[in-house]
Amino acid sequence: MGPWLASLSLPALFAVVTAAFLGMTLLSSGLGFACERLLRARRIWAVPLDRGQYRFELLGNLIFLPIQIAAFTAVLYAGAIRFDDDASPLLTFAICYVGFLVYYYPLHLLLHRRRWVRFHRWHHRSRVTTPLTGQSMGPVEAIAWAIGYLAIPALASLVLPISAGGFVAHVVYNVFGNIFGHSNFEMVNPLSRTRLASIFTPPFVYHALHHARWTGNYGFGSTGLDWVFGSEFGDWRRLATKVIDGEPLRSLKERG
Ligand SMILES: [Zn+2]
Ligand SMILES: [Zn+2]
């Protein structure tokens, strides 16, 4: 895949990146909305959305997507990620995955500091989350996400062989997880209530509580760093159990 990406002209690369981001966004959001509708027995919040929520979330996506498309096109066209055909896709995926978790946690803590929170408020306007919430954010936060997607493999490629397939697989996984993981329903995954959620995806209620309460559960796609640094909400497992058992949370202030 690396040589193919490198062979594309600038307009062709732009078209490929645009189609990829639009396709991933439409498919992941469509699946999220379908699951919200079909799995109503596993709703997280039985709380209505704010007035005009879909509208501002859509607008947030229209800020996020052009920033990602421009950044990916520029970085890939410049060859800033030095792909190696012999590199292991699995190892590249693991580097990007762990790198993004480790990058995102302190970034998210920073975005909750008084001086920086204005850049994060857009994302938090969604108190009850939807599939459109994941990519709903202001431009500064969207640029920080582009850095997470691109700078980690670019820096890693200076010292390690990086696979284009592994890089693309991570972006697809991350975008899908971000969009689908903001849906207002709970996935049933027996692993996700255990410490293994430190490595694998926790229940969706984990991040849903972050949107409702602001001051904990900062990790993206993992509880590990919240656990290490003591920023987990202590009741998230009890609330996850309740939702999985078919009892939605009826107030944003609900405690478990
Ligand atoms: Zn969120
Ligand atoms: Zn936040």
Side-chain angles (χ1 to χ4, degrees):
M1 188 181 271
W4 175 69
L5 282 172
S7 75
L8 296 174
S9 65
L10 186 58
L13 183 63
F14 175 74
V16 166
V17 171
T18 303
F21 266 98
L22 289 180
M24 287 189 292
T25 300
L26 290 172
L27 280 174
S28 312
S29 316
L31 191 63
F33 281 120
C35 288
E36 282 188 349
R37 192 161 279 228
L38 295 171
L39 301 172
R40 283 188 70 77
R42 267 196 248 121
R43 247 180 330 166
I44 296 174
W45 300 110
V47 174
L49 298 182
D50 287 323
R51 232 170 108 88
Q53 180 167 337
Y54 285 137
R55 209 173 42 236
F56 77 73
E57 288 183 337
L58 201 57
L59 193 59
N61 276 261
L62 293 177
I63 294 169
F64 181 88
L65 288 169
I67 288 172
Q68 303 313 317
I69 291 166
F72 272 71
T73 304
V75 166
L76 292 174
Y77 192 69
I81 307 174
R82 298 194 301 193
F83 293 121
D84 182 334
D85 280 352
D86 298 325
S88 155
L90 205 62
L91 184 63
T92 297
F93 184 94
I95 289 167
C96 294
Y97 178 76
V98 174
F100 197 93
L101 293 187
V102 171
Y103 166 77
Y104 183 79
Y105 181 81
L107 168 71
H108 196 180
L109 280 182
L110 183 74
L111 287 170
H112 276 264
R113 302 289 290 245
R114 189 189 297 259
R115 194 174 279 210
W116 293 84
V117 74
R118 61 198 148 123
F119 300 123
H120 191 43
R121 279 194 197 283
W122 189 304
H123 186 63
H124 271 277
R125 275 179 71 178
S126 308
R127 298 182 305 156
V128 171
T129 60
T130 81
L132 295 182
T133 308
Q135 296 186 152
S136 168
M137 62 185 80
V140 172
E141 189 172 354
I143 290 168
W145 276 67
I147 292 170
Y149 285 143
L150 296 162
I152 293 162
L155 290 173
S157 75
L158 298 175
V159 288
L160 288 164
I162 289 294
S163 139
F167 161 73
V168 169
H170 170 257
V171 174
V172 171
Y173 179 83
N174 185 304
V175 170
F176 173 76
N178 184 32
I179 295 173
F180 191 63
H182 276 85
S183 307
N184 185 25
F185 84 99
E186 191 54 85
M187 288 268 285
V188 171
N189 172 3
L191 287 186
S192 61
R193 277 183 273 176
T194 69
R195 280 283 161 226
L196 284 171
S198 306
I199 306 164
F200 302 109
T201 307
F204 294 176
V205 79
Y206 190 79
H207 188 66
L209 289 173
H210 174 73
H211 276 263
R213 301 180 183 172
W214 283 69
T215 54
N217 288 12
Y218 297 103
F220 175 82
S222 160
T223 68
L225 291 173
D226 282 308
W227 177 55
V228 169
F229 293 106
S231 51
E232 260 181 319
F233 294 126
D235 58 352
W236 73 262
R237 280 189 187 75
R238 283 190 294 281
L239 292 174
T241 303
K242 192 171 168 178
V243 169
I244 288 169
D245 290 344
E247 181 75 26
L249 311 182
R250 300 191 184 279
S251 157
L252 292 169
K253 293 195 169 73
E254 187 158 337
R255 295 286 187 272

